[in-house]
Amino acid sequence: MLQQFLSLFVPLLIIMDPVGNLPLFLALTASFDVRQQLRTAAIACGSAAAILLLFGLTGDAILRFFGITLPAFQIAGGLIFFIYALQMLNLVPASLKSSEAEEEESLRSEHIALVPLATPLLAGPGAVTAILVWQQDPARRIPLPELTLVIVAACAVVFLAFCSGRWLRRVLGLGGIGVVTRLTGLLLAVLATQFVVDGLVAVLR
């Protein structure tokens, strides 16, 4: 059971990328005191968990409504993950995630905990895709309590990373954060490839 939990928890945490998103969180909350920063982190992580749980509950109905098959979603999801991985490896511009106008607006927004932190940074296309694919995979059939535990645990780790943001930046420095982001980007690229391979194998059967 621990292996099953880790096989879901680790990929989801990599996709949510708490270390890679840490500099943006610190930039968005630079003018906040410690209490406001903790509150923002809590709202962002709680909202992200709620969004992912919503897709975990309704994902099956959504895919059936649009007539989307699991292999198609696996291939599309793998491509999305691969784009994220290339961004983390600095091989493609990060602006593919959001436009300059959206980023400037987010810096002025009073609701940064929801946008852009909760979505699209934490509960973005990559995380949502992973939840939907896991729910549709007949080899997994994850019970809702286990899926809930995975999502809550991943969001809790992100919350702890954000709360320790200033300390982590002092310890790791921007260079250290960059190294961790690139390593997780490499792992995400491998996960993306596996998603595409699984989808192609299912199509060719």
Side-chain angles (χ1 to χ4, degrees):
M1 186 168 179
L2 178 60
Q3 183 178 0
Q4 168 80 353
F5 172 82
L6 292 176
S7 70
L8 303 173
F9 170 76
V10 173
L12 182 59
L13 191 61
I14 289 173
I15 294 166
M16 296 179 81
D17 190 19
V19 175
N21 287 322
L22 184 57
L24 180 58
F25 171 78
L26 292 175
L28 292 172
T29 60
S31 61
F32 293 2
D33 58 30
V34 174
R35 184 176 178 181
Q36 288 175 313
Q37 203 170 48
L38 291 177
R39 183 173 180 272
T40 301
I43 294 173
C45 295
S47 300
I51 292 169
L52 295 178
L53 283 172
L54 177 63
F55 277 97
L57 288 169
T58 63
D60 185 60
I62 292 173
L63 295 185
R64 281 203 312 269
F65 179 80
F66 288 104
I68 302 172
T69 63
L70 175 62
F73 213 86
Q74 285 176 314
I75 294 171
L79 295 175
I80 291 172
F81 293 165
F82 202 74
I83 291 173
Y84 271 67
L86 292 178
Q87 290 173 344
M88 294 167 74
L89 292 168
N90 276 349
L91 297 179
V92 297
S95 59
L96 287 176
K97 286 185 179 181
S98 59
S99 67
E100 288 185 12
E102 289 171 331
E103 290 177 358
E104 289 176 4
E105 182 180 354
S106 71
L107 289 172
R108 296 193 302 268
S109 174
E110 296 178 356
H111 305 288
I112 58 173
L114 299 178
V115 179
L117 292 177
T119 183
L121 288 181
L122 300 181
V128 169
T129 299
I131 296 298
L132 292 177
V133 170
W134 292 336
Q135 284 294 77
Q136 293 297 306
D137 190 347
R140 291 181 182 267
R141 291 299 177 190
I142 309 166
L144 183 59
E146 183 178 343
L147 181 65
T148 302
L149 180 61
V150 169
I151 292 172
V152 170
C155 289
V157 171
V158 175
F159 173 72
L160 291 175
F162 282 177
C163 289
S164 307
R166 294 176 182 176
W167 178 79
L168 286 173
R169 186 169 61 180
R170 284 199 303 270
V171 172
L172 296 176
L174 291 178
I177 290 175
V179 169
V180 173
T181 300
R182 284 167 178 75
L183 289 175
T184 54
L186 180 60
L187 291 174
L188 185 57
V190 175
L191 290 171
T193 304
Q194 187 62 56
F195 265 64
V196 174
V197 169
D198 291 343
L200 292 174
V201 168
V203 169
L204 296 175
R205 279 179 183 171

